Amino acid sequence: MKIGVATIGEIVWVLGIIAWYIIRYPFERRARRRRVVTDRSSPADGIGLASALFGMAILPGFYVASGIPKVADHPVNAWAVAFGTIIFAAALWVFRKSHKELGRNWSITLEIRESHKLVDTGLYARIRHPMYTSFLLMAVGQAFLLANWVAGLAGLVGFAVLFFLRVGKEERMMLEIFGAEYRAYMERTKRIVPYIY
Ligand code: SAH
């Protein structure tokens, strides 16, 4: 049996998603044990998380399993799949490193936990939202790995909805809690792309 390039792209994507979950799981367990002191999660946040889940996991997962929507398939290119693999690997590296650096301050929604500290070192020294950078990289990787316009590009749409519904609120919450410290931190950092945005 010969495996085509399109199938290799799909296999890489599935393995990437499994690795993503293996990285995240221990942080989810730990986070559940810490008391929340400020909770800013809102319906908008729920919509953002649901969009990201739909565009980056459910829809592409359905495509990989069923081949639907076939009309949206486009020709595959081995270079695109190789590039997508590198980008997805970089995304997982940034994802893991940002979780480790945030440590006990991580949370899936907008909350402040007991004895929350402002992290501004490592990846956080240059950008305020490296975890969202890793989502963007994953979405770009997905677009190159899946040879289908709908399943490939859904990740970027899901990411954009999550990011823009959340980032302003998250920064306002951080400003409220950390005040001048966060304001100074904002002045020396960008949001998700070092030196650019
Ligand atoms: N936006 C960050 C963190 C995502 S997790 C990133 O993309 O890397 C979301 C939670 O992290 C928020 O609820 C907030 O409590 C916390 N948080 C965000 N930035 C932080 C920072 N610089 N230091 C400590 N906690 C932070």
Side-chain angles (χ1 to χ4, degrees):
M1 191 181 89
K2 245 182 93 192
I3 296 183
V5 174
T7 310
I8 293 174
E10 291 173 10
I11 292 170
V12 171
W13 180 80
V14 170
L15 292 176
I17 292 293
I18 294 170
W20 185 93
Y21 193 70
I22 291 173
I23 295 169
R24 164 141 293 177
Y25 182 71
F27 290 91
E28 249 167 49
R29 281 199 50 186
R30 245 173 281 160
R32 261 183 250 140
R33 292 205 291 263
R34 286 193 76 215
R35 212 164 67 83
V36 172
V37 289
T38 305
D39 185 352
R40 288 298 151 75
S41 48
S42 63
D45 215 39
I47 293 169
L49 283 170
S51 308
L53 184 70
F54 185 74
M56 298 179 76
I58 296 172
L59 202 147
F62 175 76
Y63 167 74
V64 167
S66 69
I68 296 171
K70 201 153 188 51
V71 288
D73 278 352
H74 59 70
V76 265
N77 175 313
W79 288 107
V81 171
F83 180 72
T85 303
I86 293 168
I87 296 292
F88 213 106
L92 291 173
W93 181 80
V94 174
F95 187 63
R96 181 156 179 274
K97 192 159 160 60
S98 56
H99 271 79
K100 285 180 104 175
E101 288 173 351
L102 264 192
R104 304 172 140 270
N105 304 302
W106 177 79
S107 172
I108 194 165
T109 55
L110 295 186
E111 332 173 293
I112 296 290
R113 291 176 182 273
E114 217 164 34
S115 58
H116 202 114
K117 287 198 181 53
L118 178 66
V119 176
D120 65 351
T121 53
L123 297 175
Y124 288 86
R126 287 223 161 64
I127 47 175
R128 299 191 286 284
H129 308 289
M131 211 172 280
Y132 302 157
T133 304
S134 78
F135 293 163
L136 174 60
L137 288 170
M138 270 177 78
V140 172
Q142 175 182 333
F144 281 92
L145 287 172
L146 304 181
N148 182 278
W149 293 116
V150 173
L153 296 177
L156 284 165
V157 177
F159 165 79
V161 174
L162 172 70
F163 181 76
F164 290 108
L165 281 180
R166 181 185 266 211
V167 74
K169 274 195 195 149
E170 179 166 335
E171 292 181 344
R172 278 196 295 281
M173 175 184 81
M174 296 299 284
L175 272 172
E176 243 177 74
I177 307 285
F178 294 99
E181 194 187 357
Y182 196 77
R183 195 173 304 280
Y185 174 59
M186 285 178 89
E187 267 158 32
R188 59 178 192 270
T189 50
K190 297 283 180 188
R191 273 179 163 167
I192 52 174
V193 185
Y195 308 110
I196 296 171
Y197 171 74

